[in-house]
């Protein structure tokens, strides 16, 4: 019975795993999976939790403290009897209890400012999570498009192989009929072998591209992993939007998490200066204490002498309440050094914000320039492909009539293959750069 149950469970697992692996992955699914499993995202999320703890602690620091201290001790040996002024061998035990509380009244607003700083640090760490997610999403989109590009290259290579194989059959017929020299047959056979090698290389590159994406997704077993093939826009519909890099940057500057994070850290640094300056102010603390205790003599028959425990605790109780004022005068210039360091950190945070903005603008500018170049390359590649197709058909017809050499045929065919490859490359370059620019404008990554 147990074996039967195990067999059913194993079969169910195999069936579900097979269905899971055979289901094509869309770009959106790849991005969602990567964001859920990426180690960098998980590490950054832990940083958020750590800052949540810091914020909670900064709030708790403003509450009164309450501590209870207890002590119980045994004493053995000679002690002075103050009634007889003689040494006596006495064994005693003593118990003491102390309860203390304190609440800060004024400390240069350091507690308030620390709480504000912790809040800014928490919000900055949340923005850092989004920054990491954005970087991963762009990487996934890049590898996803790389697979689509490699798949089209494989199909193109298959087409080239089939075309060369058909030409080889035609050439065999023409050679056997005496219309073409036998050397042409060898040239076409060499061309077929070259096309088959190119097909193998393209398939290997496709496999490698799948492996790269699977590793980025942290897939434990990438076997059977396939992506869904979306509807790729027609070539004539691929075009840049009318926004300039400056206009795109204006939008991006207000929504990109790296800018938000840098702004929040700048605010945190400004609060840090206030916290450091608070160390130059006096400190006023309200405190209260309650102390009591009891002591016993241990007699020879192990009985105890002295007033009852409860009576001693009551009679020995002492209470106090008071204010404590601490005024910093000279502490090795440590407080002023902290102020100087905080100001330096503030300047560094300003530079960090400027650097993030410069980096963002350069990225947008580079993506826009690349997209513009890809758009021009796409138009030129389309014209080149059309011309190469006409040239190849003309050369192929002349080759079949024995009017050109096999070398001419091979050259024309390779030229067409190169034109088709360049067209594919330009198309996917433009798609990716346009998607990047859309992403900088706050649009989701979709195909």
């Amino acid at each position: 019975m147990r074996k039967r149950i195990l067999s059913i469970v194993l079969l169910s697992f195999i069936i579900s795993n097979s269905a899971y692996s055979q289901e094509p992955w869309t770009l959106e699914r790849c991005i969602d999976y990567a964001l859920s499993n990426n180690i960098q995202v998980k590490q950054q999320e832990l940083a958020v939790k750590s800052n949540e703890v810091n914020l909670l602690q900064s709030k708790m620091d403003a509450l009164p403290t309450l501590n209870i201290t207890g002590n119980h001790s045994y004493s053995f040996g000679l002690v002075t009897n103050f009634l007889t002024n003689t040494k006596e061998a006495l064994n005693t035990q003593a118990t003491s209890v102390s309860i203390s509380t304190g609440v800060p009244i004024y400390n240069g607003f350091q507690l308030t400012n620390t709480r504000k700083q912790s809040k800014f640090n928490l919000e900055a760490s949340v923005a850092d999570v989004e920054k990491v997610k954005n970087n991963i999403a762009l990487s996934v989109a890049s590898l996803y498009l790389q697979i689509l590009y490699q798949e089209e290259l494989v199909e193109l290579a298959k087409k080239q192989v089939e075309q060369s194989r058909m030409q080889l059959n035609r050439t065999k017929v023409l050679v056997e009929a005496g219309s073409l020299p036998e050397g042409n047959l060898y040239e076409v056979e060499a061309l077929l072998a070259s096309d088959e090698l190119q097909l193998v290389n393209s398939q290997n590159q496709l496999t490698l591209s799948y492996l790269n994406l699977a590793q980025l997704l942290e897939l434990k077993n990438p076997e059977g992993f396939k992506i869904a093939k979306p509807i790729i826009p027609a070539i004539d519909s691929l075009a840049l939007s009318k926004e300039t890099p400056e206009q795109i940057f204006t939008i991006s500057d207000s929504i990109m998490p790296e800018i938000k994070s840098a702004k929040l850290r700048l605010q945190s640094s400004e609060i840090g200066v206030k916290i450091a300056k608070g160390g130059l102010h006096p400190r006023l603390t309200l405190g209260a204490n309650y102390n009591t205790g009891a002591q016993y003599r241990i007699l020879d028959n192990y009985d105890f002498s002295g007033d009852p425990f409860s009576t001693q605790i009551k009679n020995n109780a002492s209470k106090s309440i008071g204010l404590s004022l601490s005024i910093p005068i000279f502490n090795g210039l440590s407080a002023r050094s902290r102020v100087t360091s905080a100001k330096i950190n503030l300047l560094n945070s300003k530079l960090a914000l400027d650097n993030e903005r410069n980096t963002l603008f350069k990225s947008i500018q580079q993506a826009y320039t690349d997209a513009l170049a890809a758009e021009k390359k796409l138009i030129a590649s389309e014209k080149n492909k059309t011309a190469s197709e006409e040239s190849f058909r003309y050369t192929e017809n002349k080759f079949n009539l024995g009017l050109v050499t096999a070398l001419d045929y091979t050259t024309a065919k390779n030229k067409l293959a190169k034109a088709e490859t360049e067209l594919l490359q330009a198309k996917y370059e433009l798609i990716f750069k346009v998607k990047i620019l859309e992403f900088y404008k706050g649009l989701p990554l979709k195909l």
Side-chain angles (χ1 to χ4, degrees), residues 59-97:
K59 293 178 179 179
M60 295 297 103
D61 287 341
L63 299 179
T65 60
L66 180 63
N67 297 285
I68 299 178
T69 303
N71 181 57
H72 187 83
S73 63
Y74 293 87
S75 299
F76 307 94
L78 296 175
V79 297
T80 300
N81 187 330
F82 293 101
L83 296 177
T84 62
N85 197 29
T86 59
K87 295 287 185 179
E88 297 180 4
L90 297 176
N91 298 332
T92 63
Q93 61 175 333
T95 300
S96 63
V97 178

Side-chain angles (χ1 to χ4, degrees), residues 150 154 197-212:
Q150 291 294 338
V154 169
L197 176 61
Q198 182 59 43
L199 174 59
V200 172
N201 290 336
S202 298
Q203 290 171 334
N204 289 339
Q205 287 297 318
L206 176 59
T207 301
L208 182 60
S209 297
Y210 262 110
L211 178 61
N212 291 336

